[in-house]
Amino acid sequence: MASSKEYLDFILEQLSELEEITYRTMMGEYIIYYNGKIIGGIYDDRLLVKPVQAAINYMPNAKYELPYDGAKEMLLIDDVDNKKFLTGLFNSMYDELPAPKPKK
C-alpha cells in the first residue's frame, strides 16, 4: 500500500520548525532527509526513522517495524502529533546519521 500525499503533508507540517527537511518519492513511499542526510521515511502512512542510538535513547519503548519486505527494521514513531517531540528527535539523531554518499 502506498503512502498518501496528505500524510506526507501532515508530517512535513509537523517538522516545519526544522530547516532543510526534504523528501524524495520512492515507489509510492517517501524518503525523508534532514540537512541532506536520510533520517527515515514514510511507509504505508507510518513515519519510521533509522534506529541510531540517539533515537533508541529518545524513544526507549519504540517498536521496530519493517518499512517493506526485505528491508532493515526501523523505529516506528507513534507520537507524530507532537511537534516538539518530533523536532527534538530529529535534532538528537542528526549527528549520528551517516553523511550522504557523494554523487558520481
Side-chain angles (χ1 to χ4, degrees), residues 11 15 18 20-23 30-43 47-52 54-55 59 74-75 77 86-98:
I11 295 299
L15 298 170
L18 297 172
E20 293 297 316
I21 293 289
T22 57
Y23 69 92
Y30 302 98
I31 308 299
I32 306 292
Y33 295 83
Y34 181 31
N35 284 322
K37 294 181 177 182
I38 297 174
I39 198 157
I42 297 173
Y43 305 91
L47 180 58
L48 303 174
V49 294
K50 291 186 169 208
V52 296
M59 306 183 304
M74 297 176 79
L75 294 173
I77 300 177
L86 286 177
T87 300
L89 172 64
F90 276 45
N91 282 327
S92 74
M93 292 176 64
Y94 183 76
D95 289 339
E96 289 184 38
L97 295 170

Side-chain angles (χ1 to χ4, degrees), residues 63-91:
K63 289 189 261 174
Y64 286 83
E65 294 198 3
L66 293 174
Y68 52 88
D69 288 339
K72 293 180 183 176
E73 288 185 323
M74 297 176 79
L75 294 173
L76 173 66
I77 300 177
D78 277 333
D79 200 4
V80 294
D81 293 326
N82 187 336
K83 228 175 184 178
K84 187 176 178 181
F85 173 81
L86 286 177
T87 300
L89 172 64
F90 276 45
N91 282 327

